[in-house]
């Protein structure tokens, strides 16, 4: 049977690969929303798997007077690991958004370097008319 972590990983892999199809420069807010939902989903899945691993480690602490200290050390260790993992996930999605925005800016900047103030409008116009291919 697949663990929850594997299922989440498979679903996220599929979702991330399909997100490029939904990231349309003419609808930047929709693209940001999709990326935000994917990021939150990945964070939640990773947090669940991480919490499960932490409780397993805490459960291995021996009984007696050292148990409390062992539990505190394990929780602190896992908390630090989680913060690094969460930051890496957030950085991945920030990079994805930055690349998307850069790609959209490049698509709406003409040869003279002028950047259209409303890239979504220009992108829609370009798609509908084909005029931009001539620029």
């Amino acid at each position: 049977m697949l663990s929850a972590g594997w299922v989440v990983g498979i679903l996220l892999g599929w979702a991330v690969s399909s997100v490029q199809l939904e990231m349309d420069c003419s609808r930047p807010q929709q693209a940001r929303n999709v990326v935000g939902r994917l990021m939150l989903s990945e964070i939640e899945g990773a947090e669940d798997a991480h919490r499960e691993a932490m409780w397993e480690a805490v459960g291995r602490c021996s009984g007696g007077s050292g148990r409390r200290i062992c539990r505190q050390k394990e929780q602190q260790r896992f908390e630090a690991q989680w913060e690094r993992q969460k930051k890496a996930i957030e950085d991945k999605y920030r990079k994805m958004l930055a690349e998307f925005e850069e790609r959209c800016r490049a698509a709406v900047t003409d040869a003279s370097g002028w950047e259209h103030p409303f890239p979504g409008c220009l992108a829609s116009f370009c798609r509908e008319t084909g005029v931009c291919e001539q620029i």
Side-chain angles (χ1 to χ4, degrees):
M1 185 166 122
L2 290 175
S3 72
W6 279 100
V7 172
V8 168
I10 291 168
L11 290 174
L12 284 173
W14 172 79
V16 168
S17 66
S18 68
V19 76
Q20 293 299 325
L21 301 174
E22 296 182 45
M23 293 182 71
D24 183 354
C25 291
S26 68
R27 295 189 302 265
Q29 190 57 49
Q30 179 185 2
R32 288 183 195 101
N33 290 341
V34 168
V35 171
R37 286 193 309 270
L38 283 172
M39 181 181 72
L40 288 176
S41 178
E42 184 171 349
I43 286 172
E44 289 172 359
E47 184 178 27
D48 290 345
H50 188 78
R51 187 177 298 123
E52 182 179 332
M54 180 190 72
W55 287 117
E56 285 179 22
V58 165
R60 289 190 295 270
C61 288
S62 63
S65 62
R67 182 172 178 82
R68 186 177 58 80
I69 294 169
C70 175
R71 290 173 64 98
Q72 285 176 340
K73 285 183 180 180
E74 286 297 320
Q75 286 177 329
Q76 288 171 350
R77 182 172 69 88
F78 272 87
E79 195 172 295
Q81 282 178 343
W82 169 242
E83 289 304 318
R84 287 190 301 274
Q85 184 179 5
K86 183 179 174 187
K87 184 181 180 322
I89 293 168
E90 290 169 341
D91 290 347
K92 176 174 79 172
Y93 286 96
R94 278 190 199 100
K95 180 181 178 193
M96 185 185 295
L97 278 176
E99 289 171 352
F100 164 71
E101 290 172 357
E102 180 61 32
R103 188 173 68 244
C104 290
R105 270 194 295 278
V108 297
T109 303
D110 68 14
S112 68
W114 178 77
E115 187 172 322
H116 192 281
F118 305 106
C121 297
L122 183 60
S124 296
F125 175 77
C126 291
R127 268 197 316 277
E128 292 169 8
T129 64
V131 171
C132 301
E133 294 173 8
Q134 301 167 6
I135 297 176

